[in-house]
Amino acid sequence: MKNLPSASDFQAMLLRIVTAMGRLQKQLILLAVDLALIPAAFVLALTVDAEGAGLSLFVSRPVELWGLIVLMTGVGALFSHLLDLHRVQLKAYEQQAVLRTVIFALLVGFASALVQPLLFARMLPATTSVIFTMALMIMSVTARFAMRNLLIDLYRRGGGRRKRVLIYGAGQTGVQLASALKTDDALEPVAFVDDNPTLQKMMVAGLPVHAPVRLEALVKELEVDRMVIAMPSLSRPKQAQLTRRLQGLGVEVRTLPSFSVLLEDAGELKDRLQPVDPVAYLGRRGLERDMEGMHVLYEGKSVMVSGAGGSIGSELCRQVLSCGPRRLVLYELSELALYQVERELIDLAPAGVEVVAVLGSVTDEDTVTRTMALHEVEIVLHAAAYKHVPMVERNPLSGLMNNVIGTRTLAEAALARGVSHFVLISTDKAVRPTNIMGASKRLAELVIQDLATRSGSTRFSMVRFGNVLGSSGSVIPLFEEQIGRGGPVTVTHREVTRYFMTIGEAARLVLIAGSFTEGGDVFVLDMGKPIPIMKLARDMIEASGYSVRDEETPDGDIEIRITGLRPGEKLHEELLIGAQMLGTHHPKILRALEGHLSQIEVATALKALRGAIETGDAEAAREAVRRWVDGYTPFEETLADEAGL
């Protein structure tokens, strides 16, 4: 004799059937249940109201009785469709859905009360319609809840063990969370913990409330997997302290804002969120408003921005649009970044300005040349580069190919095209570099300086940035992320300093440099004194409402951890290779006078670099950099010098 299937086998089979159903099939089943309950409720009403005598109508008046049942079933189908009752998911069957079911039963009952006298005159008691309505209402709601509970049980058993959740805070937010989790497939609320002694040992939302002193025991007794802090009124530093204490119990810890905040209008919620203003950390007044008068150069022109999807490139595009160009060509290697910036700029573009998106690499000579010719490019702003120091240090060939050969390819195409202005965006890391990224940008500068000496129509210039606040990979977004996680905030060295500028300042500096250039110029922005990164980290922690945890304040919220300088990283950056500076029409923008290589030297350097890249010889590439970049000192040698070796 074969073994009969067990209860678990039957449940698994039911789950497979349910999950295999499409949405339409499930809706038809719900509709069928609603309609099947109408004759059942009518038979029940006849039985109860006439003490069973009404059932004799099936013999004496079958046509009228079955006609009434069919008619009521049709009416029920119509009302169910109008109320979208069959579209309400079983898992979401709550108060509003119950109200719809009640309305459905009342409408069908009212229709029954109108039709019965026409078919049966006074043979049926007047109360039959009332009983029918009540029976249909109760049976429909009960059936829905029964199916919902069965479905939830099937999913829970089929999905394995639910994570057990302990909620810290039995206030309004905690109660709302517990109610929401009762029908969840993956999470199961098991108890509350609350500091309020009046709530302790009571039942709230069907769950017991315990005192915090029992936390460790509760985690073991209730087999808690996750704890949720549902106390949005608690200050952020205190929430951070509580989170760290709870994490010591070996369970996941999450923090929940109030439901009212989550459901507020976007405008109201935006007012509550205070984003970091990078200018607050500059230690000087931002210069964006001082940089006016650059519109003339770009007005009515076809402008191409390489690296248009990056932080600097995208801001350049926005600023160029405000100058009223004829066409803006977005040149970008990343498909996602290009899609996002194109979508934004098309919405921002004034009437009559054409926005063109081109997917391609600056190292691709054919694509670059074709793009400039097709879109009649007159000005090129070159922002495309690999800029993250540790990443380029680990991938020197890719960094040199993109930053040096890519710049050469783009600049030569611009020269051949006869564009009026070409601006290279460089970095302070190009000054006496200790890393491949900085050295690659210095080589790119040398390439542009060489072309500038041989150009009759194209004005080549360079803009040397400090660190750009808020750009991808910069320190402020990193610190924000680390503070949001509760720390630690990581700083490479206690003495490290950096020059900072805002994205707006950086973009305007590029645009103004284009109008100031006489050919081969290196422009820098007077950014004041360099900022200590330790001070920046401390200021950001305190501005976020936390305190710094150190030897003096061991009970502080967030630790600043020293991680050590990364390969290729300097303690202090410089903006100038030499000491000679010239002023410009703007008091805060300076022009540097710096030496450069001859045409033969640049050609020799590029030949050596191309050969190393083609053969995949990273050491040969580094040797070429060492030979041709004045002041380049690899990170390892810098450490040895500082150690006196």
Side-chain angles (χ1 to χ4, degrees):
M1 183 178 176
K2 294 183 179 180
N3 293 330
L4 294 174
S6 64
S8 59
D9 292 335
F10 181 69
Q11 289 173 340
M13 180 183 69
L14 278 179
L15 181 60
R16 285 195 298 271
I17 293 172
V18 171
T19 52
M21 288 182 182
R23 180 180 300 177
L24 180 60
Q25 290 173 302
K26 294 176 181 178
Q27 290 178 357
L28 289 175
I29 289 175
L30 291 177
L31 180 60
V33 170
D34 288 337
L35 299 185
L37 291 175
I38 292 175
F42 192 70
V43 170
L44 180 62
L46 287 175
T47 304
V48 173
D49 197 34
E51 298 181 354
L55 294 178
S56 62
L57 291 174
F58 281 101
V59 178
S60 60
R61 305 281 294 274
V63 176
E64 292 90 339
L65 190 59
W66 283 111
L68 178 62
I69 291 174
V70 170
L71 181 60
M72 288 300 98
T73 303
V75 170
L78 174 64
F79 289 141
S80 178
H81 174 74
L82 293 176
L83 292 168
D84 280 336
L85 199 57
H86 60 293
R87 297 181 185 274
V88 178
Q89 286 187 325
L90 283 176
K91 289 169 58 177
Y93 192 76
E94 295 293 346
Q95 184 175 348
Q96 291 298 321
V98 171
L99 180 59
R100 288 193 188 192
T101 305
V102 171
I103 295 173
F104 164 76
L106 289 173
L107 290 174
V108 175
F110 181 71
S112 171
L114 292 178
V115 173
Q116 279 187 42
L118 299 178
L119 294 178
F120 295 96
R122 298 182 180 178
M123 293 184 63
L124 290 177
T127 54
T128 301
S129 294
V130 177
I131 298 174
F132 166 67
T133 303
M134 297 300 296
L136 181 59
M137 188 185 302
I138 294 170
M139 293 169 70
S140 296
V141 172
T142 303
R144 273 294 204 285
F145 275 116
M147 288 189 292
R148 188 198 71 163
N149 293 339
L150 174 62
L151 183 65
I152 291 173
D153 187 61
L154 284 175
Y155 277 122
R156 287 174 181 172
R157 292 177 185 273
R161 178 180 178 272
R162 298 164 72 197
K163 283 193 174 184
R164 297 170 67 80
V165 178
L166 184 64
I167 302 173
Y168 200 115
Q172 182 180 8
T173 301
V175 171
Q176 290 173 323
L177 175 62
S179 300
L181 292 181
K182 285 182 180 178
T183 59
D184 192 84
D185 299 338
L187 302 174
E188 178 186 5
V190 293
F192 287 106
V193 170
D194 201 284
D195 300 315
N196 188 345
T198 60
L199 292 176
Q200 293 163 9
K201 297 184 180 180
M202 293 182 63
M203 295 292 290
V204 174
L207 299 175
V209 183
H210 299 276
V213 293
R214 295 205 61 232
L215 263 174
E216 189 172 352
L218 287 172
V219 169
K220 295 178 181 178
E221 291 173 11
L222 302 177
E223 299 179 350
V224 174
D225 301 297
R226 179 179 297 174
M227 297 185 66
V228 179
I229 302 173
M231 301 176 68
S233 59
L234 208 62
S235 67
R236 289 179 63 190
K238 290 184 178 179
Q239 283 191 13
Q241 294 171 359
L242 179 58
T243 298
R244 283 195 291 273
R245 181 160 65 91
L246 297 179
Q247 285 172 338
L249 299 176
V251 296
E252 297 178 44
V253 180
R254 305 287 174 87
T255 303
L256 183 73
S258 69
F259 281 85
S260 60
V261 168
L262 290 175
L263 297 176
E264 280 178 341
D265 291 338
E268 295 178 7
L269 184 57
K270 182 178 178 181
D271 292 340
R272 288 173 176 260
L273 302 177
Q274 299 297 324
V276 172
D277 181 8
V279 178
Y281 303 112
L282 284 177
R284 59 178 173 81
R285 188 171 64 88
L287 302 176
E288 292 94 335
R289 294 181 181 178
D290 294 342
M291 300 185 178
E292 302 295 340
M294 72 273 191
H295 291 73
V296 177
L297 178 63
Y298 304 94
E299 187 175 358
K301 301 293 179 59
S302 177
V303 183
M304 175 178 173
V305 179
S306 71
S311 305
I312 301 300
S314 60
E315 180 62 22
L316 273 175
C317 292
R318 297 182 194 101
Q319 297 297 334
V320 169
L321 279 181
S322 69
C323 298
R326 173 169 53 91
R327 180 181 297 115
L328 179 59
V329 181
L330 316 175
Y331 196 86
E332 172 60 54
L333 179 61
S334 166
E335 180 188 27
L336 176 60
L338 183 61
Y339 166 74
Q340 291 174 332
V341 74
E342 179 194 27
R343 186 176 59 179
E344 175 191 351
L345 295 177
I346 286 176
D347 292 337
L348 292 177
V353 178
E354 181 185 3
V355 177
V356 180
V358 180
L359 190 64
S361 169
V362 291
T363 62
D364 186 342
E365 183 177 354
D366 291 339
T367 303
V368 166
T369 303
R370 186 169 58 251
T371 299
M372 288 189 183
L374 180 62
H375 301 296
E376 303 174 335
V377 172
E378 299 167 272
I379 299 174
V380 176
L381 307 177
H382 179 31
Y386 292 153
K387 65 178 183 178
H388 299 289
V389 171
M391 187 65 70
V392 175
E393 200 68 22
R394 293 192 295 269
N395 300 273
L397 297 179
S398 297
L400 290 164
M401 180 67 184
N402 191 72
N403 294 358
V404 183
I405 306 302
T407 297
R408 174 75 175 197
T409 301
L410 192 64
E412 286 187 333
L415 183 62
R417 169 68 192 165
V419 306
S420 63
H421 292 76
F422 183 104
V423 183
L424 166 69
I425 295 174
S426 189
T427 170
D428 56 1
K429 294 175 178 60
V431 179
R432 284 179 277 276
T434 60
N435 53 71
I436 290 296
M437 196 285 285
S440 71
K441 295 300 285 185
R442 179 54 187 155
L443 276 171
E445 289 181 355
L446 292 171
V447 166
I448 297 303
Q449 287 173 320
D450 170 54
L451 288 175
T453 63
R454 298 185 282 114
S455 170
S457 57
T458 302
R459 294 186 179 184
F460 289 94
S461 60
M462 293 142 283
V463 176
R464 202 174 276 161
F465 286 174
N467 287 266
V468 180
L469 292 172
S471 65
S472 62
S474 70
V475 71
I476 282 188
L478 174 63
F479 284 178
E480 283 183 310
E481 179 185 345
Q482 292 174 335
I483 292 170
R485 294 199 306 258
V489 171
T490 56
V491 176
T492 57
H493 195 283
R494 290 187 180 277
E495 305 300 324
V496 71
T497 63
R498 290 292 182 266
Y499 287 102
F500 285 103
M501 61 199 308
T502 67
I503 291 180
E505 286 178 324
R508 285 170 172 79
L509 177 58
V510 172
L511 299 185
I512 289 180
S515 60
F516 284 179
T517 185
E518 297 176 1
D521 308 280
V522 177
F523 294 99
V524 297
L525 178 69
D526 182 358
M527 291 180 284
K529 296 181 180 180
I531 297 174
I533 301 301
M534 278 291 290
K535 179 180 183 301
L536 177 64
R538 182 177 291 273
D539 288 347
M540 287 190 64
I541 291 170
E542 292 174 352
S544 299
Y546 293 87
S547 58
V548 178
R549 186 167 73 246
D550 53 21
E551 293 180 358
E552 296 180 1
T553 54
D555 295 329
D557 299 310
I558 293 178
E559 171 193 4
I560 299 178
R561 183 175 297 170
I562 306 300
T563 59
L565 289 174
R566 300 172 295 182
E569 191 172 36
K570 289 183 181 180
L571 271 179
H572 311 290
E573 299 288 2
E574 306 167 84
L575 288 170
L576 303 173
I577 294 175
Q580 291 183 297
M581 297 291 297
L582 294 176
T584 65
H585 299 298
H586 193 286
K588 290 293 184 178
I589 299 177
L590 305 175
R591 180 189 288 116
L593 295 178
E594 298 179 348
H596 56 84
L597 300 178
S598 68
Q599 180 180 352
I600 295 176
E601 288 174 321
V602 170
T604 304
L606 289 176
K607 181 179 179 180
L609 198 57
R610 284 185 184 274
I613 292 171
E614 289 172 0
T615 58
D617 191 341
E619 286 306 314
R622 290 181 188 275
E623 186 57 37
V625 170
R626 186 193 300 268
R627 179 181 177 186
W628 296 109
V629 177
D630 185 32
Y632 171 61
T633 307
F635 179 68
E636 296 78 7
E637 295 180 17
T638 303
L639 289 181
D641 291 342
E642 290 178 356
L645 299 177

